[in-house]
């Protein structure tokens, strides 16, 4: 269950630099490629001639050429030409609005007429030279909403990520959740705690003492359709925490774009944006490697959870206070999906 | 089709020494672990909070701790505690009666109220210092009843196990099958035959001549729900066979616990108990390696048979005299399954 | 959708030299083996005793012996004997007409009463010392009719086989298709073109200059049920092309036997018969390796096409002039399948 009238991250720009990419998003099989002047384009991954997979073809002078019989497809889904054929009567295939921005390729899998670039989620850090970003992509066999739950309740860090970012004090600190329109925020603040290994490493990465107590924070933001940005960081204790001077803290944004593939599988674009010591590429690589391990731990837990839910579909799950972030985010999703039902769109 | 009100072998004790084990038995997803004082425990592998797989968690002070959000589960299926939560109203999950005995962990996947430890199948050899045991575990993609058929008719040894225990004289010797209550016995005696390779090796293992004729016996015992013990052995010919003096024979018990996983897959706990030269660990290892090869041969045959039966479900199979052991054992199983139907239990 | 009353290639002779072979053909699970005097035989791969897979057994004195309990199966599907059993009442299993000829084993998966060896497709080149043949076998996850389409329209060579046999002039040359009874012919002739890499190598293999223009031809022949023979070759330009003197050309026959496994999978027996430099075994190996690469390229395209068609079953495909070969071949197939419907057979 996912809204289709929304901008989702489809792929990383370098996934389509050399050749087209076939990827299923929101149950749509889509061929992504770079068209004229390198602009990204996306059409159904289905050649109107004989149903070949267009993404197995090549790009020639900005057009997607089917790798079976050379049909030339335009980025609007209309066949441009085919050797020896008149193509005016060929059926049109769907094309998908697509935008390359902020270091990602975004696609709108729903009604193209409603696709407004202004609706694209704004990412300040992606446009600022004071920030840097690195991340990766995992395919996960679970409903993307299980990942929403996961990321909007970081209590799990204590148990799932015991050797990196987990610590007992997470459990012991109250969590606060609120909803502002379609924006859900869950926050947790820990004062005067020892930093766990991941944060010790980041403190050292910013040339700060790592063996002293810190104030730690986690502020999770859910934005539709399923983008989750988590402000995280630690500051030397008693210096203002979240608001402390940059000289005594390390802070960053955990970036999670959750893109449904099918009802029970998803593409997980994960990474971290940071604004300290941004030119240290070794530090960047170290953070990315650490995150890769952390998110692989989540993947194992969520895929097992998905199998359990498929085996016992009738069981009700609990909704505790710690689950409020996921619950409220799912309500936003439910509302968006309901608004896309035919009778709603006609109204 | 399997009775659920019965003790099945669930796992080997060392499978749960370091961490919990998730295993499906009779279609039930179960988490096995060592609770207080190392006592085995078993609960549904489904956290009542969000459906996570409990067996991915850890054991802390004898309690199973969910690896997602730290819910602490008691061995009775009641939530003990959860950080920051009142758990009294949490739904109970199932717990399963479980016993560690005879070097195995046993589970009762049916109605816990009916689970009587006295109903556990008694294994004399497992408690005697004059015997030793070694074995292994295979996952087999077939209905466990195909394995019952297989083990209650050893005619197949001639064809499936040609290089180890098979010999032409098996075919040529009559088989006798009888049922005593729920206990089915199939026996075959061969006189004055040359021992096949597996038995030659055992004769040598017991410091007996291996190049002389022997009397060989096979007495297969089926006990509910699906335990099969096969008395096997050879004695130098003319010395009394099955009843010969231990000094002129080698005898042992092939131990087969067949535990259904689903309708078409099973856990196969196989091994051999012997009472000759029991301290010779090299001999023990050699026998286990030989059995591993033999039972892998069965597995290939039975998985192919299962695929055939699934493709042609309407076909009737033959029930010959050699199949009597399997046929009579299946009748016992049918009777036990029928007795578990709701209307029977209510009566 | 495939006719069953037809001779299909079942396997290569050496696939059954050492032991039986189990293979599904037209949805029938069949055990192939060498019976008396090495003659090929084929019966259902289902033992009438307990449903074991007969092809896992062995051949003893020309009879197939079940590897489970030693049932001896005759090549007519009647049980010959079984140790200790009377077998007269055993149910008969199907046997399949089978012929070894032309270096292939052929099977008739339909009504045995209609199997006429005279209906076997005649292969002149297979009986002539002036020709040699080499080939291979691929399992392909697609409806065999997608492969018919592929082979009856070689336009795709330009796009799928860019580094071996593809060249732009294929596209630019008109194609001619005609049907003579159940025989469909699609032909294309290119004049005064440079030979692509595969043909350069063949020219050199026949001690001819490879850096001069050639006339190139492709004449595709579809014969029921799904045999496709493609006359291909190049001659030095202006010497008569297809009809040129053998001293200035290289010509051969691409041999494609398409045998359905299920509705959406097939066995692809591919190869090349040639009548130049036939004793050069290095050349033979080089051609076979080249073809292996070419047909692997087709396989990738067709399996992706099949997945697309399964996901979007309601979509109509285009039938262009270049598709005429496939379209007309499918009409022949449709007619043969229709003729096999019960009401037709009864008429």
């Amino acid at each position: 269950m996912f809204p289709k009238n929304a901008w989702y991250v489809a792929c990383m720009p370098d996934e389509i630099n050399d050749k087209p990419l076939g990827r299923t998003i929101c149950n749509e099989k889509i061929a992504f490629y770079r068209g004229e002047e390198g602009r990204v384009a996306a059409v159904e991954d289905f050649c109107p001639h004989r149903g070949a997979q267009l993404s197995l073809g090549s790009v020639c002078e900005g057009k997607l050429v089917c790798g079976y019989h050379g049909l030339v497809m335009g980025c609007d889904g209309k066949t441009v030409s085919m050797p020896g054929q008149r193509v005016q009567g060929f059926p049109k295939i769907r094309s998908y609005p697509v935008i390359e921005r902020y270091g990602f390729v975004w696609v709108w899998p729903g009604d193209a007429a409603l696709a407004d670039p202004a609706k694209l989620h704004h990412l300040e850090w992606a446009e600022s030279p004071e920030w840097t970003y690195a991340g990766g992509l995992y395919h996960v066999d679970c409903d993307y909403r299980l990942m929403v739950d996961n990321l909007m309740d970081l209590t799990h860090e204590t148990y799932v990520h015991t050797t990196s970012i987990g610590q007992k004090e997470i459990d012991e600190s109250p969590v606060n959740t609120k909803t502002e329109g379609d924006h859900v925020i869950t926050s947790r603040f820990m004062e005067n705690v020892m930093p766990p290994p991941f944060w010790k490493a980041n403190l050292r990465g910013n040339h700060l003492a790592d063996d002293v107590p810190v104030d730690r924070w986690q502020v999770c933001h859910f934005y539709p359709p399923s983008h989750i940005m988590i402000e995280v960081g630690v500051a030397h204790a008693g210096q203002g925490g979240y608001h402390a001077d940059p000289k005594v803290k390390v802070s960053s944004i955990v970036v999670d774009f959750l893109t449904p593939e099918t009802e029970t599988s998803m593409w997980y674009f994960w990474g971290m944006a940071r604004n300290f010591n941004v030119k240290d590429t070794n530090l960047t690589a170290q953070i990315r490697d650490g995150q890769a391990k952390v998110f692989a731990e989540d993947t194992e837990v969520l895929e097992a959870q998905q199998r359990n839910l498929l085996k016992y579909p009738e069981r009700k799950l609990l909704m505790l206070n710690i689950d409020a972030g996921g619950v409220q985010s799912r309500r936003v999703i439910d509302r968006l999906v309901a608004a896309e039902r035919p009778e709603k769109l006609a109204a």
Side-chain angles (χ1 to χ4, degrees), chain A residues 74-256:
Chain A
C75 61
D76 56 357
K78 283 187 198 161
T79 302
V80 173
S81 63
M82 186 171 168
Q85 307 294 334
R86 293 169 177 271
V87 301
Q88 289 87 334
F90 280 26
K92 198 169 176 293
I93 60 171
R94 286 190 66 182
S95 68
Y96 298 88
V98 65
I99 297 173
E100 182 172 1
R101 193 176 297 169
Y102 305 133
F104 300 93
V105 175
W106 308 76
V107 67
W108 181 279
D111 183 351
L114 304 176
D116 180 354
K119 293 179 184 165
L120 188 64
H121 186 74
H122 181 60
L123 298 177
E124 268 190 19
W125 50 261
E127 298 184 309
S128 162
E130 291 171 25
W131 289 75
T132 189
Y133 175 83
L137 168 61
Y138 284 161
H139 181 268
V140 190
D141 277 323
C142 76
D143 184 329
Y144 76 107
R145 293 175 299 174
L146 298 184
M147 190 66 87
V148 171
D149 297 341
N150 174 279
L151 292 164
M152 292 300 287
D153 168 23
L154 300 183
T155 312
H156 77 270
E157 292 185 358
T158 310
Y159 304 94
V160 180
H161 311 303
T162 52
T163 61
S164 52
I165 51 178
Q167 64 184 131
K168 193 58 196 154
E169 291 89 346
I170 298 175
D171 258 4
E172 295 163 350
S173 306
V175 67
N176 188 274
T177 302
K178 61 180 173 176
T179 301
E180 298 173 349
D182 285 348
H183 176 195
V184 180
I185 305 120
T186 292
S187 54
R188 181 181 261 131
F189 298 90
M190 292 154 267
E191 293 187 1
N192 206 35
V193 301
M194 289 306 295
F198 180 82
W199 284 112
K200 276 181 187 283
N202 282 337
L203 286 164
R204 291 193 300 273
N206 201 22
H207 312 298
L208 290 168
D210 71 343
D211 55 354
V212 296
V214 295
D215 297 332
R216 181 179 177 189
W217 62 91
Q218 302 169 322
V219 184
C220 312
H221 301 268
F222 168 89
Y223 303 100
S226 44
H227 310 329
I228 296 175
M229 307 291 142
I230 310 179
E231 297 177 84
V232 292
V234 299
H236 282 172
Q239 307 266 352
Y242 180 88
H243 299 286
D245 187 286
K247 288 178 188 156
V248 296
K249 74 178 175 187
V250 280
S251 67
S252 56
I253 300 173
V254 178
V255 175
D256 303 286

